[in-house]
Amino acid sequence: MQRRPWLTTFRRLSSPRPAIPRLSIPPRYHYEISSRCLSSEASTPKLRFGQPTFETHPHLLKSGEVTPGCSALEYAMRRAKLASELPDGGLAICASSYVKYRSGPVFYEFHQDPDFYYLTGFLEPEAVCVMEKTGPDGEHIFHMFVRDKDDKAELWDGARSGVQAAVDVFNADEAGNIDHLHTHLAPLIEKAEFIYADIKPTPRRPASVFSTLFSSGGPDNMNFTSMLEGKRTGSLKHLMHKLRVFKSVPEVANMRKAGKISGRAINMAMQNKFTEEKNLWAFLEYQFKIAGCERSAYVPVVAGGRNACTIHYTRNDDILRDGEMVLVDAGGQYGGYSTDITRTWPISGRFTPAQRDLYQAVLNVQKLCVALCREDAKLSLDEIHGVAELGLKDELKSLGFDISDRAMEVLFPHHLGHFVGLDIHDSGSYSRNLKLKTSQCVTIEPGIYVPDDERWPKHFRGMGIRIEDSVCVGEEAPLVLSVEAAKEVVDIEALGESHAQ
């Protein structure tokens, strides 16, 4: 495997990051796509894969892209970065998601495991990738084990990419049939000294192909658990999250596109008169998709009136009433990357005096905290949360709130923000205590939720207000990924004029 220095290809926002280790990238990744994928066969109508490619879906992908916005070289560099983090003799094993079923044969929409997506760009279920470290500068062998072509199965469930495409399209060095994973995986584990894998399923990460084999022993009485005896093991999740928390230029571009589409859709919603939460929900879903997003990034919150006081209100089945506000927490997904936006606006198009006062209080704090999302501020998300809490206390005092006796635990019960990317709550094992660094992407979402309780000023009771942006941390200034979504009072009311008459 030829060594090539990895210098500025993965340029961060603003000033350069500290020196990046040399990574060895196979020469074919320096072309737009592996030449094997550009054979004459690729132009025939018979070519079918389990996901869009440039050859089959040029309206979705540019030449050389594996997924929207991300090239074969982008994925190769990610794998080389992971390999460079592994110890000598290290092996990293990552499994795709399974298809999950609601009941009987009725399945949920498939969502790929984000770590597997990050390393491969492969969007099918029942697959495993293995990174076998072979040298100190990111040298590695990239193995993929996927479902083979099967005419009968594809008649029912659609095309599969197959084993050969794992090499030709997804640039695996070696590939095999997932049905024979035990025979492929056993010798790799046997010669490795250190295994990085997430074997045990968790409530948020159900059993995978790999974890099922480890728990069941696999076919032919192959006991994978016993194979780990004498091996040093570690969690792949923690290593992956340390890599994924820093976004490349293509990743930020995808998140910016998702933010632009989502922000404009929210502005259009402000211009329309909706009488039911479900109709507003459907409008946003439609606008996200027709403007280019694959889907909504998460089940949205569309909460009218006092429903906004429930943080994760997702029933979205109530009436929207004039004189109240609606809180919308929604965003689209583009190229697998999410945007997370919350806006609160008056259903009638104009704020009442009390609504305006409380809204402006939250907005003042939100803008202050967004401005702190820069590396030279030397603050962590936890520390910015503390800034938000103090700011909200001051704002609420000026509005006549009694904030004694742990009042803020009631009025502001959630954290200010989280990391965002392939997951809405991205890189969950990466601590919010660590100082923010350039090219990390976070949300900033202060909120105030006033219960219908005599303790609070009467004219604010039942109001829930949250304002949230997705933000990319810069060296000296933040990049607001959702900047299109209106949040100033004057802008929201200007958008509402079209239906307020």
Side-chain angles (χ1 to χ4, degrees), residues 155-283:
L155 173 65
W156 286 91
D157 299 325
R160 296 178 176 183
S161 295
V163 173
Q164 188 59 45
V167 176
D168 292 345
V169 179
F170 298 95
N171 292 293
D173 298 304
E174 298 182 6
N177 189 332
I178 191 69
D179 290 342
H180 307 300
L181 178 63
H182 57 293
T183 61
H184 298 302
L185 203 54
L188 296 176
I189 294 177
E190 186 176 357
K191 67 180 179 180
E193 296 180 14
F194 200 114
I195 311 295
Y196 278 94
D198 296 309
I199 299 170
K200 295 181 180 179
T202 66
R204 293 191 178 185
R205 194 181 187 122
S208 67
V209 174
F210 181 50
S211 63
T212 300
L213 281 173
F214 266 80
S215 62
S216 65
D220 302 330
N221 296 316
M222 178 74 71
N223 190 333
F224 282 93
T225 304
S226 65
M227 292 173 56
L228 291 181
E229 293 178 4
K231 307 288 185 182
R232 292 178 296 166
T233 60
S235 171
L236 179 63
K237 174 183 68 175
H238 297 292
L239 185 57
M240 289 297 301
H241 288 184
K242 287 194 293 183
L243 297 176
R244 282 173 46 199
V245 77
F246 291 98
K247 303 299 188 287
S248 68
V249 171
E251 289 179 289
V252 173
N254 277 2
M255 295 178 69
R256 179 71 186 92
K257 185 163 186 176
K260 179 170 67 174
I261 292 171
S262 303
R264 291 177 178 179
I266 287 171
N267 288 350
M268 285 190 282
M270 293 180 185
Q271 291 177 295
N272 284 270
K273 176 70 173 180
F274 294 98
T275 58
E276 295 184 47
E277 293 169 347
K278 67 178 182 180
N279 296 339
L280 176 47
W281 176 8
F283 177 85

Side-chain angles (χ1 to χ4, degrees), residues 13 38 63 158 202 267 288 311 489 500:
L13 298 177
L38 299 179
S63 178
T202 66
N267 288 350
F288 293 162
I311 310 301
V489 168

